[in-house]
Amino acid sequence: MEQTLALIKPDAVQRRLVGAIISEIEKNDFQIVAIRTLKLSIDAAKQFYQAHRSKPFFDSLVGYMASGRIFVLLLEKDDAVEAWRKLHGHTDPTQAEIGTLRQRFGIDVQQNSVHAADSLATALDEINFFFGEGQ
Ligand code: UDP
Ligand code: MG
């Protein structure tokens, strides 16, 4: 069974949307095989988003991701990576397909409520980042 990594970001945790988002995850037939909650340090947020380090929004993204508690979920389903990206929707909530989590819950292009690993390789790295040895 394929695995992927999901984050419920600070904007959604702060607005008490964790239950609603987890409910959608389960309705869409994902198994939640691990879950943890934490507040990222600035350094950990920088490391997690290092692929974006040269983007103009990097510092602001890191500050936002370290601004409050997040939930980290290890999800399992056939085709989990693709299925979770489809459910979470476009980066910009105003462009996200109707019914996707970002369309329903996202505030703006940064505070978009959820994160999905973008490929199988990234999923493995991100799972290791949050659930690997030493965590
Ligand atoms: N982001 C941002 N400003 C932008 C684009 C993205 O703050 O103009 C944030 C947003 O939270 C997004 C994350 O950076 O989810 C990672 O960006 P990416 O382009 O990888 O979008 P995603 O894969 O999350 O849809
Ligand atoms: Mg991405």
Side-chain angles (χ1 to χ4, degrees):
M1 191 73 82
E2 193 170 290
Q3 295 189 333
T4 193
L5 187 103
L7 300 182
I8 304 177
K9 293 180 171 181
D11 70 274
V13 177
Q14 221 262 324
R15 288 178 293 143
R16 298 177 175 79
L17 294 168
V18 173
I21 290 170
I22 287 178
S23 173
E24 283 306 305
I25 287 171
E26 292 193 315
K27 272 187 215 156
N28 282 273
D29 294 326
F30 292 89
Q31 285 290 345
I32 299 168
V33 298
I35 186 166
R36 62 182 291 219
T37 180
L38 74 158
K39 189 168 179 285
L40 287 171
S41 66
I42 292 281
D43 279 354
K46 279 185 182 163
Q47 201 189 329
F48 183 74
Y49 276 117
Q50 57 181 301
H52 292 304
R53 63 190 174 279
S54 58
K55 303 268 174 64
F57 58 81
F58 182 68
D59 286 347
S60 153
L61 170 61
V62 165
Y64 154 64
M65 287 302 292
S67 70
R69 183 168 287 282
I70 62 168
F71 279 71
V72 188
L73 296 93
L74 179 47
L75 304 181
E76 226 171 60
K77 184 180 175 161
D78 288 335
D79 206 16
V81 172
E82 185 60 33
W84 172 232
R85 286 199 72 76
K86 193 158 187 258
L87 178 61
H88 97 327
H90 192 281
T91 310
D92 180 351
T94 65
Q95 292 184 51
E97 213 172 299
I98 305 280
T100 59
L101 296 175
R102 284 171 163 177
Q103 181 269 323
R104 291 178 59 192
F105 301 123
I107 296 171
D108 58 32
V109 72
Q110 178 162 90
Q111 299 177 89
N112 54 13
S113 302
V114 281
H115 163 86
D118 63 9
S119 69
L120 207 46
T122 311
L124 291 175
D125 286 349
E126 293 185 356
I127 290 165
N128 193 49
F129 185 90
F130 284 109
F131 294 107
E133 301 258 333
Q135 289 304 312

